[in-house]
Amino acid sequence: HPWCPVTDHTWHLPSPARLDPDKSLGACGACANDAASTAHACIACGGSRMAEPGRLLVLAGTSLPNLMAGPIDALAAWLDAAEFPRGATPARAALRRRLHGLMELGLGHLPLRRSTDQMSTSERHRLWLGARTETELSGVVFILDEPSDHLTDPAPVVARLRALRDAGNTVLVVDHHPDVLEAADRIIEFGPGPGSDGG
């Protein structure tokens, strides 16, 4: 186990559950039962919501809470610049691929700490889309609501939708962006108006 010779304190070895403030093993015991809005005032964790050893972990000179507090694009820039041991190359490459995939989907502004209930529907669907296209699922029906919302260029979203389709899935998308509509295999238009008028 990690051990501090100064304080004679030991910690459990880091694991995903112990580094995740949303899991019981990784949550700060002082503010875990409070609303997230009060976490910033917690003296024990400094607002990180993380228990030890997560909040004490330092990677390439930067603490894990600081990395978690920033947006995805800042984490990707740090990952590109930081120096790691050669043995970390595969993990670094996998993380870089995921982060850049999320940025392609217009999610680079999201802080890693933001919970999904604080995201827009479009952001949640694009986050979900990024995760699903990393898997090898087939024979599944996917339904997405406005995944291109707030995007000026939906090309990365369209590419992910096509990848899901090409893997043998059925993809149903509710969207209004012309580029998404043009990429569709079939379009079903409801109308002529909103609500009870068809839309």
Side-chain angles (χ1 to χ4, degrees):
H1 292 293
W3 169 68
C4 174
V6 176
T7 63
D8 195 30
H9 194 87
T10 61
W11 292 271
H12 291 282
L13 286 170
S15 66
R18 292 187 185 279
L19 301 178
D20 186 347
D22 293 322
K23 299 277 196 293
S24 59
L25 290 175
C28 169
C31 65
N33 296 323
D34 294 337
S37 59
T38 63
H40 68 277
C42 178
I43 298 173
C45 68
S48 70
R49 297 176 42 237
M50 299 182 79
E52 296 178 353
R55 67 173 178 259
L56 303 178
L57 191 63
V58 175
L59 303 171
T62 305
S63 72
L64 185 59
N66 283 345
L67 292 173
M68 296 288 289
I72 289 171
D73 52 11
L75 178 60
W78 170 84
L79 187 67
D80 289 340
E83 294 185 10
F84 288 96
R86 183 172 297 174
T89 300
R92 181 180 187 171
L95 181 57
R96 179 185 282 129
R97 186 182 69 249
R98 288 205 171 193
L99 292 175
H100 285 276
L102 293 173
M103 290 190 302
E104 285 177 2
L105 291 170
L107 299 173
H109 65 283
L110 289 178
L112 291 179
R113 242 191 230 165
R114 182 174 296 176
S115 60
T116 53
D117 61 355
Q118 295 175 331
M119 297 179 189
S120 70
T121 301
S122 174
E123 288 170 338
R124 284 196 305 272
H125 279 242
R126 281 181 275 149
L127 184 66
W128 177 90
L129 187 60
R132 291 306 176 273
T133 48
E134 290 282 339
T135 66
E136 297 181 358
L137 291 175
S138 64
V140 178
V141 176
F142 294 99
I143 304 174
L144 294 97
D145 183 21
E146 302 282 0
S148 73
D149 196 26
H150 303 303
L151 290 179
T152 54
D153 180 15
V157 169
V158 170
R160 300 293 180 104
L161 295 172
R162 283 180 168 155
L164 282 175
R165 178 204 61 190
D166 294 345
N169 301 294
T170 299
V171 183
L172 304 175
V173 180
V174 178
D175 210 295
H176 298 86
H177 197 290
D179 292 352
V180 177
L181 297 177
E182 186 176 344
D185 295 323
R186 294 179 181 84
I187 297 176
I188 301 174
E189 183 175 7
F190 295 93
S196 61
D197 290 329

